[in-house]
Amino acid sequence: MEAYLLDFGNLLLRWLHVIAAIAWVGESIYFVMLDNGLRPPKSEECKKKGVFGEMWAVHGGGFYHNQKYATSPEQLPEDLHWSFWKSYTTWLSGFGLFTLLYLTKPSFYLVNRNSPWEWAANMTGWQANIAALAFLLLGWIVYNELCKRISPNMERDGILSVAVAVMMVVVAYLSTHIFSGRAAFLLTGAVMATAMSANVFFWIIPGQRRMVAAMKAGETPNPIDGKRGKQRSVHNTYFTLPVVLLMLSNHYSFTYSHELSWVIMTLFIFAGALIRQYFVLMHAGHIRPGYPIAGVALLLVAIWIGAPKSTPAPAAVAPAATQSETAAAGEETAAPAAAAVTTAQVLQVMESRCVQCHAANPSQPGFAAAPAGVMLDTEEHLLLQAGTVKQVVANKYMPLGNITGMTDEERALVAAWNGQ
C-alpha cells in the first residue's frame, strides 16, 4: 500500500508539474513572440502617450491590440497582471518529484558505480544527495556570476552567451561522470530550470516591482531594471527547449546509457537553442533557415554517435585436447562456431538480476509497478525490450548501481544474445 500511495503521489505531482510547466513555457514563448512582433505605432495619439510598439492579432474569433510602453504610461491599473507563480510552481513541483523519486533512493538512482572517478563511484546515498543539491546550487551561482561579471549592463550579451554555452558543456561532462546516466540528464536540465526560475525570483520580478513602485511614486524607473529583466527572459527562452528534451530523455536509455552521453546531451542542448533562435527571429520578421538546419544537423550527429554498434559474437575456442589431437593428425580445421545464446538463458539472468523491479508485481521495496512500465518477467515481455536490454546491460547502466550484483559473465551472455 505504501508503494502504491507513493506512486499515486508521484502521478499527481507530475501532473501538476507538467501543467505548471506548460503554462509557464507557453506564456514565456508568447511574450517573446509579442515583444519581437511589435511594430512602431501609427497613431499620433499612441506616440504621444509613449507607446513604443504595438501588435494587432486575431484569435478565437476576436481582435487584440497589444501595446508596449518605452517609458511610464500615464497610469497603472490596480489589477496589473504579473507572471511568476507559474515559474515557482513548476520549479517547486519539479523539485518535489526529484525528491520523491531520486533523493529517497540515491544509492539506486543517483550513484554512478561505473564512474571513472573513484570518489564518485563510491559515494554513499547521503553523499550523493548532497552532491546533487550542491550541483543545482552551484549551477545557479556560476551562471548568475557569469551574467553579473561579463555583461552587468547588458552590453556584452554575445560574449555572455558563449560563456553560458561553455558552462553547459562543463555541466554535461561533470553530471555524466558524477551521477548515473538518467540522473545526469535530469540534473543538467534541472540546472537550467533552476536558473530560469531563479532569474524570475531574484531579478525579473524584483526589477519589475521597483519599476512599478517608481511609477506610482511619480518617479522615472531605472532603465537598468528593464534591460536586466529582458536579458534574463531571453536566456530563459533559449533554455526552454533543451530543458524539456532533457526532462523527457529519462524514457530513452539510448541517450543516457552511451559512453559519450555528455556529448549527446551537449548536442541536444545546442540543437534546442538553435531551433528556438529561429522562432525568436521569425517573430521579429527575420527568416533564417540556417538555424533549424544547424539544429537538425546536430541532432543527426547525436543519432550517429548514439547508434548501437553491431558486434558479432566471439567465436568459441576449441578445447585444448581437441587442438592437440588435431595438430598431431596434421589437420587444419576451423574452430566450431560458438553456441548461440538462447532467450531462455537470458531470461534466467533477468529472473536473477532484474525482475525484482521489472515485473508486474515488483519485490523491490518502494516499487508498486515496473519502472517506466518495462517488465522482464516473461519471455514475451523480454523480447519486446530486447534492444534496450542489450544496450543498458552492456553499458552497465542496468541494474542501477548494480544493486543485484550482475556479473561480467552475465553481461557478456546478454550482449551475445541475438534478441530473438
Side-chain angles (χ1 to χ4, degrees):
M1 178 58 74
E2 180 182 352
Y4 168 74
L5 292 176
L6 283 175
D7 259 10
F8 209 98
N10 176 5
L11 171 62
L12 294 179
L13 198 55
R14 191 179 298 272
W15 192 22
L16 172 63
H17 181 61
V18 171
I19 291 171
I22 290 172
W24 180 25
V25 170
E27 189 172 65
S28 174
I29 289 176
Y30 171 75
F31 273 105
V32 170
M33 179 277 295
L34 176 60
D35 205 44
N36 288 335
L38 294 173
R39 298 293 181 267
K42 296 179 180 180
S43 167
E44 290 299 325
E45 182 182 354
C46 289
K47 294 177 182 178
K48 291 178 181 179
K49 290 192 301 182
V51 174
F52 168 76
E54 62 182 359
M55 185 178 76
W56 283 87
V58 59
H59 181 75
F63 297 93
Y64 297 81
H65 185 203
N66 296 293
Q67 296 178 318
K68 179 179 180 179
Y69 288 80
T71 56
S72 308
E74 295 180 358
Q75 61 180 8
L76 286 175
E78 291 299 325
D79 57 346
L80 184 65
H81 176 76
W82 293 83
S83 299
F84 55 84
W85 279 115
K86 302 176 186 69
S87 165
Y88 303 160
T89 304
T90 300
W91 191 89
L92 290 171
S93 58
F95 186 76
L97 274 174
F98 181 68
T99 300
L100 186 64
L101 297 177
Y102 288 81
L103 298 185
T104 56
K105 303 183 184 74
S107 298
F108 197 73
Y109 283 120
L110 288 178
V111 179
N112 182 3
R113 300 300 179 194
N114 299 312
S115 173
W117 301 340
E118 186 176 352
W119 65 268
N122 294 325
M123 281 194 297
T124 61
W126 68 267
Q127 288 172 333
N129 280 345
I130 292 175
L133 296 176
F135 202 76
L136 293 180
L137 179 61
L138 289 174
W140 158 247
I141 291 174
V142 171
Y143 161 76
N144 193 47
E145 288 300 315
L146 288 175
C147 293
K148 289 164 59 178
R149 296 177 184 275
I150 295 176
S151 188
N153 298 317
M154 283 56 71
E155 295 174 349
R156 296 192 296 172
D157 280 0
I159 299 175
L160 175 59
S161 297
V162 174
V164 173
V166 172
M167 169 193 154
M168 291 315 305
V169 174
V170 174
V171 168
Y173 181 82
L174 291 176
S175 68
T176 55
H177 283 70
I178 298 174
F179 304 103
S180 65
R182 183 161 56 179
F185 272 58
L186 179 66
L187 278 167
T188 301
V191 165
M192 288 188 280
T194 298
M196 291 171 67
S197 196
N199 278 339
V200 176
F201 184 80
F202 290 110
W203 293 104
I204 298 174
I205 294 301
Q208 289 176 347
R209 292 194 186 281
R210 286 191 293 269
M211 292 171 66
V212 170
M215 291 165 64
K216 288 184 175 181
E219 302 171 356
T220 301
N222 187 345
I224 199 71
D225 283 325
K227 291 181 179 179
R228 185 175 289 119
K230 177 71 176 295
Q231 177 198 62
R232 299 301 179 103
S233 291
V234 169
H235 289 180
N236 282 5
T237 200
Y238 289 119
F239 282 149
T240 300
L241 297 189
V243 167
V244 172
L245 188 143
L246 291 176
M247 295 306 176
L248 294 174
S249 67
N250 64 83
H251 297 285
Y252 304 96
S253 62
F254 61 82
T255 58
Y256 54 74
S257 62
H258 196 275
E259 60 183 359
L260 293 176
S261 58
W262 72 273
V263 176
I264 295 174
M265 191 194 312
T266 299
L267 292 170
F268 281 157
I269 292 171
F270 289 166
L274 287 170
I275 293 170
R276 183 72 189 110
Q277 172 69 350
Y278 170 77
F279 289 101
V280 170
L281 293 176
M282 182 188 73
H283 295 316
H286 308 296
I287 305 300
R288 300 287 188 271
Y291 285 105
I293 290 173
V296 171
L298 293 182
L299 292 177
L300 291 175
V301 173
I303 293 173
W304 174 70
I305 292 175
K309 306 296 187 294
S310 55
T311 54
V317 178
T322 305
Q323 291 180 355
S324 301
E325 293 169 2
T326 301
E331 298 177 0
E332 297 181 359
T333 57
V341 175
T342 66
T343 299
Q345 289 175 291
V346 175
L347 187 60
Q348 284 185 330
V349 176
M350 298 298 106
E351 290 172 348
S352 299
R353 311 298 183 188
C354 304
V355 299
Q356 291 88 339
C357 300
H358 292 283
N361 296 297
S363 58
Q364 179 69 28
F367 288 88
V374 176
M375 292 185 287
L376 304 172
D377 48 354
T378 67
E379 182 174 322
E380 181 183 5
H381 289 154
L382 174 60
L383 291 174
L384 287 174
Q385 304 291 339
T388 300
V389 168
K390 285 170 61 68
Q391 184 178 39
V392 298
V393 168
N395 289 336
K396 297 187 176 181
Y397 180 71
M398 287 289 181
L400 286 173
N402 202 19
I403 193 171
T404 56
M406 182 178 286
T407 66
D408 289 339
E409 290 75 16
E410 289 169 329
R411 293 185 189 279
L413 184 142
V414 175
W417 176 47
N418 64 10
Q420 299 177 352

